[in-house]
Amino acid sequence: VGWRWVAALRSITPRNAGMAYNIRHAITVSGGVASLNFDNFLVSSGRQLNVQSPSVAVGTNHSATVTWTDNSGFDPTAISSDVVIVVLLNTAKDAGVVNLTSASREDGTLSMNYPASWAGSTVHAYVFTRDLENTMVSTSTHAGSFSAS
């Protein structure tokens, strides 16, 4: 998601643009063992201003709550009706959950469910925005992690 502008600059597919970035910036190898730097990992890359100060906390009944500060109007690309997209990533299960449409920049919070089978795993949350026309996205931010219950 959101790698179109990078892909256009390099004449490659958006998927390859994202993979190339993450291989260069988010994966390290030490002693033959690869590891992922979750703060450097990106789900999207774009020119829109992302929400401010996103964070995540574990909720009840296999849910997570993500909060952020509405920064509408701070930049011409930040509009209150922008869609906030949250990705929950569980690398131990090689799985993720994405919420694409249920929160706007002005909402400031989103609760979403994850599978019960994730209990005991570390889950990382990534947040980014897109405009209503789906023509512009922000670069994702690692909102933190939690232990799924």
Side-chain angles (χ1 to χ4, degrees):
V1 177
W3 291 92
R4 287 181 279 188
W5 75 278
V6 176
L9 289 173
R10 296 187 182 161
S11 299
I12 59 176
T13 66
R15 179 183 174 139
N16 284 343
M19 291 291 287
Y21 176 89
N22 284 317
I23 287 170
R24 267 188 247 117
H25 299 283
I27 297 174
T28 57
V29 179
S30 178
V33 178
S35 62
L36 185 61
N37 180 324
F38 292 97
D39 288 331
N40 289 349
F41 181 79
L42 293 182
V43 176
S44 71
S45 177
R47 297 179 177 157
Q48 186 179 45
L49 182 68
N50 200 356
V51 295
Q52 185 177 348
S53 305
S55 63
V56 64
V58 66
T60 58
N61 298 323
H62 315 295
S63 69
T65 300
V66 178
T67 59
W68 59 88
T69 300
D70 176 9
N71 55 353
S72 302
F74 184 76
D75 179 275
T77 66
I79 299 170
S80 62
S81 59
D82 291 334
V83 177
V84 175
I85 300 170
V86 174
V87 178
L88 299 180
L89 181 62
N90 183 336
T91 58
K93 301 281 186 183
D94 290 327
V97 176
V98 181
N99 187 300
L100 294 172
T101 59
S102 66
S104 67
R105 184 183 296 268
E106 66 187 347
D107 291 338
T109 188
L110 168 73
S111 290
M112 59 188 285
N113 294 323
Y114 54 83
S117 63
W118 287 16
S121 296
T122 299
V123 178
H124 293 268
Y126 294 87
V127 178
F128 66 100
T129 58
R130 72 166 174 81
D131 64 0
L132 288 176
E133 295 77 27
N134 201 25
T135 60
M136 190 180 336
V137 299
S138 69
T139 297
S140 60
T141 300
H142 182 230
S145 62
F146 62 93
S147 181
S149 59

